[in-house]
Structure formats: structure tokens, C-alpha cells
Amino acid sequence: MATITLSVNFSGGLETLFANRTAHTVSIPARVPVDAALWDTWPAAPESAGAPDADAVTMKPADMAYLLHHLRTRVLTARPELFLEHGTVRPGILALINDADWELEGEGAALLHDEDEVVFISTLHGG
Amino acid sequence: MSSCGNPSTESDALMSRRPKFDKSKHCVKCKVALGNIVIRHAVYCKECFFSLVAFKFRRALEPFVNAKPDGPRRTALKPAGNLLLGFSGGLGSTVLLDLVHRSYIANRKDELRRDGGKDHPRHDKVWKRVIVCYVELCDALPGRKDKISEVAEAVAQYEGVEFVPLRVQDAFDPLWWRCIYGEDAVSQLRINLENDELTSMLTNPLSTNPLESLRSYLSSLPTSTAVCSALHALTRVLLLHTAAETDSSHLLLGTSLTSLAISLIRGIGQGAGFNIEQEIQEEWLSDIRPPNFDSNDRANENQKGVRVIRPLRDVGLKECAFWAWWEKLRIVGEDRTGWPDSRQEIGGLTKDFIMGLEKDYPSTVSTIVRTCAKLSPRGEVSGKCVLCERPAQEGVQEWKSRISVRTTAQSVDATAPPLPAPLQADNASATRLASHLCYACHTTLTSRSARPPPPLYLSATKTSSTTLPVWVAPRIMRKVGEDEMRATVQEFLIEE
């Protein structure tokens, strides 16, 4: 099983939730379980020892919904409620995939590929 | 996916979510390039997005540049004074500064190089001076960092722009006021917040510690909402007087469509519905004359008016964020609502509501603003509120006294401990401030919550009387000029 490597950037104050770093390089499995309940136990590196049998569960290509889960559980350092709400980004946070609005790709359902660039921008300071 | 049944028992219960754009992924404007952004269900490519935002900015600003909007717009922009830009370091004002620089400073230089003939009138600057004013709030709210130097750095990147930093405590600083309006206009009032009539007295000597006065003022406010509302009003009036000081005919604010919808709903929720027109656009004229003012000079008189414009009122927060990201603009400010220990206030709750609404129903925010723009308040204007300097509705105090249980000055005098010395100094000059305030400002100062808010500052003690901003006393005490008196009684005069 393979992993994909993504470049993830945070802007507009969101970086404070991610160890004050704006740019991150994140590796996630290329395929993840369809059932989101299994994501908590799913390893970030599939080849690691004790990895569950991928053939036993229905799988799908990694998407933005999985990336959000991965960021919350493995990268976020403070106050997850300021980043996610009801399984997606909080209102006021925008996402771009390869320089395009993620709404064009189906938001959480947008599929991710190796070397994709994902950007999260907070608009919570409006004026 | 959104559920319309029980997905565990019905295999087709999950309905696929509707895409957030109307037709294809191609730009609706050029119809060739693949889209980069979805704006209220319409897809735009990067190139068309930039021209769209620049067009919306100019459409909201240029018809209001000339004192009287007439003549062809683009070639004949002749403002009566300079330009002041209110800068908070947030998304809106950062994008606004970039657009102003791009449209009226950098562009003009490009034209000059291309066409030659530097004295051609086409190359004249629209505004002789473009001034950026930043009001620092770090001393007012706990847990804030002083950002003046960061903001100065951000502004310095733009050539041809001056920077004026202020601190919110300047609103209580007689020295700051003296610089603008001279020695004669300086006086200060203290008010007693124990009763709803807000008895006020002149302070003598003047307060020499503006920060202490600011903190005493904010600590004495009854709710977290009142604190946020007061800071908003102080910042606004500081900007207006700075505009007067810098001979600016226009004050631009970076309020985006989303922020405008939030401030309109918040204003209505706090009793400022009468000022809904001013929240969108206003013309402000200072009542206090600067020392060098010549009332016979007609041109001088025209220059004293300030037109407050929000050129991003058709541009949503999402568009501002994409503009800032693609243009690599640095956002130096931080979220200005609330402070670490504050309870949720009306402004914050309204913001959460509108942001959530915009995410699921992006067109609703524009509908809020367009609907509010059609509203006009009932009732006559009784004058300007001495605190926020916006029109006050006539008969507000009579109406309030009929519908609410109020604490009057007499009932408080009977039970309260003796007032501090400045308030006792000259009872003959006691003024009931309530009659000079608009409904919203009176509510800000007097409307108490069942649960008192957490203390704003650990060191400050809550007092029953507090000093008011420096612009209040001169406006209450000002002598009405002969011309103004004549204009008031004009219709009753009998011609000789």
C-alpha cells in the first residue's frame, strides 16, 4: 500500500493552531477505509507493523475528509474546535486544492493525489 | 452527503450533496479557463476574478468621490480633500489598501511612464495625500499584542502612503484633542452611571492619564456587548476626527459584504436601527471648528465634511481571502471581537450566525445588505448623539421612560454614597447626558445584564462615575453660532 505526500499551508491566523508553522508536509495513505469510524485506528503509514488488513475493509482513495481527520488527530496542536465543526472545516475557513476553491472539487469528497497543494485560510478577522 | 432517511437500513437513503456552483467548472465570464473560485454559485477563473473585484471596488467608490456626482466618472475624479483609510490589519482593510494603491497610486505612475508629459492633467493624483490610520486596541483588551510596528511595516510596503498610528486611549487624551481643535475646545465630562439620566459634570482639572480613563470607562460598562460596542464607536469617532485633522474628504473602511451584514444585524440587535443608513454610508460634519477655521471661507467650509465609504461592500469575505492569498498580502491583525474571559456578546454571536449562514447559503448575506439598504427609519432626527456622533431619534427618552422601569437621579441621590469631588464641584453645570444620546449609546451605558460581566482588568475597580471621551464635553458646551441660530429660527423671522 502506498502513501501520498501533500503540501499543506495555513494562513489568516490558522497557523497558530498548528505549532505556529504555516507550511507542513503531510503523508497520508493513498487509500483509506470508506467507514470513517475506522480512521482513528488506521495508521498514517500503512506499511507499519500491526497495520490492519486492508483487504478486509472497503477502501476508497484518500480525500479531503480524511485529510481533515488526519490534520486534527496528528498535526493540530491546540483548540480543534476552532478548525473543525461537524466533520468539516468551521464556517469562515476556506480551503484551496492546487490553487482552486475546494467547492469546485466537492469539498470533503475531493480526491487527493501525490504532491497536491492544500491551503486553509481563516477569514475570522474580517475588517 | 446529507441524510434524508436512515442510511443503516435503507441503502439509497443518502442523497448526494448538490454542488455549490451552477453549471460547469469553467469560468462564467471568459468561458474558456477552468475556474478557481466559486462566488455565490458562479465560477470564475483567477484572471476574471481580479478584474471582477477591482470593478466592484470602483463601482462602490467612484460615484461618491466628487462632492456632487456629475460628469464622466473615470476621467474627472475631483475629491474635495485627502483620503483617509481606516486600517485594522484584518482581511478587508488589507485588501482595501492594496486596491487603493493599485488603482490610484501605482496605476497613475505606470501611465506617467508610458505616455510622458508629466504635467498632463491626466497624471494628477486623484487624492493629493493618501493616509492610513490604525487604531491600536491592545491597551483596552487583555491578552492583546501591540501591533503598531507590524502594521507600520505592512503599510510601508506601499509607496506614496502616509501612516498615522493612534491608540484607542487617545479618545480620552486632551492633548490629542487640543492638537486638532485648539485650546478653547478642551473640556472633559464625568458621568454618574448609577442612574439612567446619566448626570454629568465638568471635570476640573482635566484627566492627565488617558489609559486610566479608558479603562475606567470600559470597566464601568454593564455588559461584554457594551464594551465591544463602545470600542467600535471610539475607533470610528477617532477615525472621523483624524479625517478632519488631515483635511480628508473621504474615509474608506475595509468593511466587506459579510462584515457589513454582520454589523447591520448587530446594530439592529443593539438598538441602532435608526442609524442603519449611516452604517452603510454616511456624511459626517464636525460640530467643533478648528482654531484656524474661517467661517466666511466657503471652500474651507466645504472641506470639513467627511464622506465615509465602504468600497468593499459588494465583495464578500471569501473574495477578500482569495485576493489576499493570491496577491500574497500579509494579514497582520488579529480577531478583534471579545477577550479571553469575555462572555459571548451580541457581535460575536451575530458573526457566528452570519458566517454559518454564508457557508451554506452564500447569497443570503448579500440579501441582508440589499434589504437593509432599502430600509429608512421612522421618526425625526433630534440632533447628533454626543458620544457616537450619529443622528439621534427624537423622543427616545420619553419613550424609554414610558416602557421601562428606570432609576432616576433623585432616587439614587437619596441612597447613594457621596459623589467624588469633581462631580460635586459645580452642581449648577450638571447636565443630564441621556437627552444628548442616541438610543443605542444610552442602552450601551445603562442596559444591565442579570449576571454582571467578568472584570475586564484585574487591577481596575468598578466606579460609579467615569470620564467620557474628549469629544463629548465640547459638543454639549459648544456655543451656537449666529448663523446656526438664524438657520434654526429662519421660518419664524419676519422680514423688515
Side-chain angles (χ1 to χ4, degrees), chain B residues 95-139:
Chain B
V95 171
L96 177 65
L97 175 58
D98 192 54
L99 277 162
V100 166
H101 184 263
R102 190 179 281 252
S103 308
Y104 303 112
I105 301 172
N107 257 1
R108 299 268 154 172
K109 282 197 158 184
D110 290 347
E111 280 173 26
L112 189 70
R113 277 196 292 273
R114 205 170 48 237
D115 298 354
K118 65 176 184 181
D119 292 331
H120 195 284
R122 176 171 65 235
H123 301 313
D124 286 347
K125 277 183 176 178
V126 175
W127 282 279
K128 284 194 179 70
R129 289 171 66 200
V130 176
I131 304 132
V132 173
C133 182
Y134 170 70
V135 181
E136 179 56 69
L137 299 182
C138 72
D139 295 318

Coordinates of all heavy atoms in Angstrom, one line a residue, chain B residues 95-139:
Chain B
V95 N -7.0 44.2 2.0 CA -7.3 44.2 0.5 C -7.7 45.6 0.1 O -7.3 46.0 -1.1 CB -8.5 43.2 0.3 CG1 -9.0 43.3 -1.1 CG2 -8.0 41.8 0.7
L96 N -8.3 46.3 0.9 CA -8.7 47.7 0.5 C -7.5 48.6 0.2 O -7.4 49.2 -0.8 CB -9.6 48.3 1.6 CG -10.0 49.8 1.4 CD1 -10.9 49.9 0.2 CD2 -10.7 50.4 2.6
L97 N -6.5 48.5 1.1 CA -5.3 49.2 0.9 C -4.6 48.8 -0.4 O -4.1 49.7 -1.2 CB -4.3 49.0 2.1 CG -2.9 49.7 2.0 CD1 -3.1 51.2 1.8 CD2 -2.1 49.4 3.3
D98 N -4.6 47.5 -0.7 CA -3.9 47.0 -1.9 C -4.7 47.6 -3.1 O -4.1 48.0 -4.1 CB -4.0 45.5 -1.9 CG -3.1 44.9 -3.0 OD1 -1.9 45.2 -3.0 OD2 -3.6 44.1 -3.8
L99 N -6.0 47.6 -3.0 CA -6.8 48.1 -4.2 C -6.7 49.6 -4.4 O -6.6 50.0 -5.5 CB -8.3 47.7 -4.0 CG -8.7 46.3 -4.3 CD1 -10.0 45.9 -3.7 CD2 -8.8 46.2 -5.9
V100 N -6.6 50.3 -3.3 CA -6.5 51.8 -3.4 C -5.1 52.1 -4.0 O -5.0 52.9 -4.9 CB -6.6 52.5 -2.0 CG1 -6.1 53.9 -2.0 CG2 -8.1 52.4 -1.5
H101 N -4.1 51.4 -3.5 CA -2.7 51.7 -4.1 C -2.7 51.3 -5.5 O -2.1 52.1 -6.4 CB -1.7 50.8 -3.3 CG -0.3 51.1 -3.7 ND1 0.4 50.3 -4.5 CD2 0.5 52.1 -3.3 CE1 1.6 50.8 -4.7 NE2 1.7 51.9 -4.0
R102 N -3.2 50.2 -5.9 CA -3.2 49.7 -7.3 C -3.9 50.6 -8.2 O -3.5 50.9 -9.3 CB -3.9 48.3 -7.2 CG -3.8 47.4 -8.4 CD -4.5 46.2 -8.0 NE -3.7 45.3 -7.2 CZ -3.2 44.2 -7.6 NH1 -3.5 43.8 -8.8 NH2 -2.5 43.4 -6.9
S103 N -5.1 51.1 -7.7 CA -6.0 51.9 -8.6 C -5.6 53.4 -8.7 O -5.8 54.0 -9.7 CB -7.4 51.8 -8.1 OG -7.8 50.5 -7.9
Y104 N -5.1 53.9 -7.6 CA -5.0 55.4 -7.6 C -3.5 55.9 -7.3 O -3.3 57.1 -7.4 CB -5.9 56.0 -6.5 CG -7.3 55.6 -6.8 CD1 -8.0 54.8 -5.9 CD2 -8.0 56.1 -7.9 CE1 -9.3 54.4 -6.1 CE2 -9.3 55.7 -8.1 CZ -10.0 54.9 -7.3 OH -11.2 54.5 -7.5
I105 N -2.6 55.0 -7.1 CA -1.2 55.4 -6.9 C -0.3 54.7 -7.9 O 0.3 55.4 -8.7 CB -0.7 55.1 -5.4 CG1 -1.6 55.9 -4.4 CG2 0.7 55.6 -5.2 CD1 -1.4 55.5 -3.0
A106 N -0.3 53.4 -7.9 CA 0.6 52.7 -8.8 C 0.2 52.8 -10.2 O 1.1 53.1 -11.1 CB 0.7 51.2 -8.4
N107 N -1.1 52.7 -10.5 CA -1.5 52.8 -11.9 C -1.2 54.2 -12.5 O -0.8 54.3 -13.7 CB -3.1 52.7 -11.9 CG -3.5 51.3 -12.4 OD1 -2.6 50.5 -12.7 ND2 -4.8 51.1 -12.5
R108 N -1.3 55.2 -11.7 CA -1.0 56.6 -12.2 C 0.5 56.7 -12.6 O 0.8 57.3 -13.6 CB -1.3 57.6 -11.1 CG -2.8 57.6 -10.7 CD -3.5 58.6 -11.6 NE -4.9 58.2 -11.7 CZ -5.9 58.9 -12.2 NH1 -5.6 60.1 -12.7 NH2 -7.1 58.5 -12.3
K109 N 1.3 56.0 -11.8 CA 2.8 56.1 -12.2 C 3.0 55.4 -13.5 O 3.8 55.8 -14.3 CB 3.6 55.5 -11.0 CG 3.7 56.4 -9.8 CD 4.8 55.8 -9.0 CE 5.3 57.0 -8.1 NZ 6.5 56.5 -7.3
D110 N 2.3 54.3 -13.7 CA 2.6 53.5 -14.9 C 2.2 54.3 -16.1 O 2.8 54.4 -17.1 CB 1.7 52.2 -14.9 CG 2.3 51.2 -13.9 OD1 3.4 51.5 -13.4 OD2 1.5 50.3 -13.5
E111 N 1.0 55.0 -16.0 CA 0.5 55.9 -17.1 C 1.5 57.0 -17.4 O 1.8 57.3 -18.5 CB -0.8 56.6 -16.7 CG -2.0 55.6 -16.8 CD -3.2 56.3 -16.3 OE1 -3.3 57.5 -16.3 OE2 -4.1 55.6 -15.9
L112 N 2.1 57.5 -16.3 CA 3.1 58.6 -16.5 C 4.3 58.1 -17.3 O 4.7 58.8 -18.2 CB 3.5 59.1 -15.1 CG 4.4 60.3 -15.0 CD1 3.5 61.5 -15.4 CD2 4.9 60.5 -13.6
R113 N 4.7 56.9 -17.0 CA 5.9 56.4 -17.7 C 5.6 56.1 -19.2 O 6.4 56.4 -20.1 CB 6.4 55.1 -17.0 CG 7.3 55.4 -15.8 CD 8.1 54.2 -15.4 NE 7.2 53.2 -14.9 CZ 6.8 53.1 -13.7 NH1 7.3 53.9 -12.8 NH2 6.1 52.1 -13.2
R114 N 4.4 55.6 -19.4 CA 4.0 55.2 -20.7 C 3.8 56.4 -21.7 O 4.2 56.4 -22.8 CB 2.8 54.3 -20.7 CG 2.6 53.4 -21.8 CD 1.5 52.4 -21.6 NE 0.3 52.9 -21.2 CZ -0.3 52.6 -20.1 NH1 0.2 51.7 -19.3 NH2 -1.5 53.1 -19.7
D115 N 3.1 57.4 -21.2 CA 2.6 58.5 -22.1 C 3.6 59.7 -22.1 O 3.5 60.5 -23.0 CB 1.2 59.0 -21.7 CG 0.2 57.9 -21.8 OD1 0.6 56.8 -22.3 OD2 -0.9 58.1 -21.4
G116 N 4.4 59.8 -21.1 CA 5.3 61.0 -21.0 C 4.4 62.2 -20.7 O 3.2 62.1 -20.4
G117 N 5.0 63.4 -20.7 CA 4.2 64.6 -20.4 C 3.7 64.6 -19.0 O 2.5 64.5 -18.7
K118 N 4.6 64.8 -18.1 CA 4.3 64.7 -16.7 C 3.3 65.7 -16.2 O 2.7 65.5 -15.1 CB 5.5 64.7 -15.8 CG 6.3 66.0 -15.8 CD 7.5 65.9 -14.9 CE 8.1 67.3 -14.8 NZ 9.3 67.3 -14.0
D119 N 3.1 66.8 -16.9 CA 2.2 67.9 -16.4 C 0.8 67.7 -17.0 O -0.1 68.5 -16.7 CB 2.8 69.3 -16.8 CG 4.0 69.6 -16.0 OD1 4.1 69.0 -14.9 OD2 4.9 70.3 -16.5
H120 N 0.6 66.7 -17.8 CA -0.7 66.5 -18.3 C -1.7 66.2 -17.2 O -1.4 65.5 -16.2 CB -0.7 65.2 -19.3 CG -1.9 65.2 -20.1 ND1 -3.1 64.7 -19.6 CD2 -2.2 65.5 -21.4 CE1 -4.1 64.8 -20.6 NE2 -3.5 65.2 -21.7
P121 N -2.9 66.9 -17.2 CA -3.9 66.7 -16.1 C -4.3 65.3 -15.8 O -4.6 64.9 -14.7 CB -5.1 67.5 -16.5 CG -4.7 68.2 -17.8 CD -3.4 67.8 -18.2
R122 N -4.1 64.5 -16.8 CA -4.5 63.0 -16.7 C -3.6 62.4 -15.6 O -4.0 61.4 -15.0 CB -4.3 62.4 -18.0 CG -4.5 60.9 -18.0 CD -4.5 60.3 -19.4 NE -3.3 60.4 -20.1 CZ -3.1 61.0 -21.3 NH1 -4.1 61.5 -21.9 NH2 -1.9 61.0 -21.9
H123 N -2.4 62.9 -15.4 CA -1.5 62.3 -14.5 C -1.6 62.8 -13.1 O -0.9 62.4 -12.2 CB -0.1 62.4 -15.0 CG 0.1 61.8 -16.3 ND1 -0.3 60.6 -16.7 CD2 0.7 62.4 -17.5 CE1 0.0 60.3 -17.9 NE2 0.6 61.4 -18.4
D124 N -2.5 63.8 -12.9 CA -2.7 64.3 -11.5 C -3.2 63.2 -10.6 O -4.0 62.3 -11.0 CB -3.7 65.4 -11.5 CG -3.1 66.7 -12.1 OD1 -1.9 66.7 -12.2 OD2 -3.9 67.6 -12.4
K125 N -2.7 63.2 -9.4 CA -3.2 62.2 -8.4 C -4.7 62.5 -8.1 O -5.1 63.7 -8.0 CB -2.4 62.3 -7.1 CG -1.1 61.6 -7.1 CD -0.5 61.8 -5.7 CE 0.7 61.0 -5.5 NZ 1.2 61.3 -4.1
V126 N -5.5 61.5 -7.9 CA -6.9 61.7 -7.5 C -6.9 62.4 -6.1 O -7.5 63.4 -5.9 CB -7.7 60.4 -7.5 CG1 -9.1 60.6 -7.0 CG2 -7.7 59.8 -8.9
W127 N -6.2 61.8 -5.2 CA -6.1 62.3 -3.8 C -4.6 62.8 -3.7 O -3.7 62.1 -3.9 CB -6.4 61.3 -2.8 CG -7.9 61.1 -2.6 CD1 -8.7 61.8 -1.9 CD2 -8.7 60.0 -3.2 NE1 -10.0 61.3 -2.0 CE2 -10.0 60.2 -2.8 CE3 -8.4 58.9 -4.0 CZ2 -11.0 59.4 -3.1 CZ3 -9.4 58.1 -4.4 CH2 -10.7 58.3 -4.0
K128 N -4.5 64.1 -3.2 CA -3.1 64.6 -3.0 C -2.4 63.8 -2.0 O -1.2 63.5 -2.1 CB -3.2 66.1 -2.6 CG -3.5 67.0 -3.7 CD -3.3 68.4 -3.3 CE -3.6 69.4 -4.4 NZ -5.0 69.5 -4.7
R129 N -3.1 63.4 -0.9 CA -2.4 62.6 0.2 C -3.3 61.4 0.4 O -4.6 61.5 0.5 CB -2.3 63.4 1.5 CG -1.3 64.5 1.4 CD -1.4 65.4 2.7 NE -1.0 64.7 3.9 CZ -1.4 65.1 5.1 NH1 -2.1 66.2 5.3 NH2 -1.0 64.4 6.2
V130 N -2.7 60.2 0.6 CA -3.4 59.0 1.0 C -2.8 58.6 2.3 O -1.7 58.4 2.5 CB -3.3 57.9 0.0 CG1 -4.0 56.6 0.5 CG2 -3.9 58.3 -1.4
I131 N -3.7 58.7 3.4 CA -3.2 58.5 4.7 C -3.9 57.2 5.3 O -5.1 57.0 5.2 CB -3.6 59.7 5.6 CG1 -3.0 61.0 5.0 CG2 -3.1 59.5 7.1 CD1 -4.0 62.1 4.9
V132 N -3.1 56.4 5.9 CA -3.6 55.1 6.5 C -3.6 55.3 8.0 O -2.5 55.6 8.6 CB -2.7 53.9 6.1 CG1 -3.2 52.7 6.9 CG2 -2.9 53.7 4.6
C133 N -4.7 55.1 8.7 CA -4.8 55.3 10.1 C -5.1 54.0 10.8 O -6.1 53.3 10.4 CB -5.9 56.4 10.5 SG -6.0 56.7 12.2
Y134 N -4.3 53.6 11.8 CA -4.5 52.4 12.5 C -4.8 52.7 14.0 O -4.0 53.5 14.6 CB -3.3 51.5 12.4 CG -3.3 50.3 13.3 CD1 -4.1 49.2 13.1 CD2 -2.4 50.2 14.4 CE1 -4.1 48.1 13.9 CE2 -2.4 49.1 15.2 CZ -3.2 48.1 15.0 OH -3.2 47.0 15.8
V135 N -5.8 52.2 14.6 CA -6.1 52.4 16.0 C -5.8 51.1 16.8 O -6.4 50.1 16.5 CB -7.6 52.8 16.2 CG1 -7.9 53.1 17.6 CG2 -8.0 54.0 15.3
E136 N -4.8 51.2 17.6 CA -4.4 50.1 18.4 C -5.3 49.9 19.6 O -5.5 50.8 20.4 CB -2.9 50.3 18.8 CG -2.3 49.2 19.7 CD -2.3 47.9 19.0 OE1 -1.6 47.7 18.0 OE2 -3.1 47.0 19.5
L137 N -5.8 48.6 19.8 CA -6.7 48.3 20.9 C -6.0 47.5 22.0 O -6.7 47.1 23.0 CB -7.9 47.5 20.4 CG -8.8 48.1 19.3 CD1 -9.9 47.2 18.9 CD2 -9.4 49.4 19.8
C138 N -4.7 47.3 21.9 CA -4.1 46.3 22.8 C -4.2 46.8 24.3 O -4.2 46.0 25.2 CB -2.6 46.1 22.5 SG -1.5 47.4 22.8
D139 N -4.2 48.1 24.5 CA -4.3 48.6 25.9 C -5.7 48.5 26.5 O -6.0 48.6 27.7 CB -3.9 50.0 26.0 CG -2.4 50.2 25.7 OD1 -1.6 49.3 26.1 OD2 -2.0 51.1 24.9

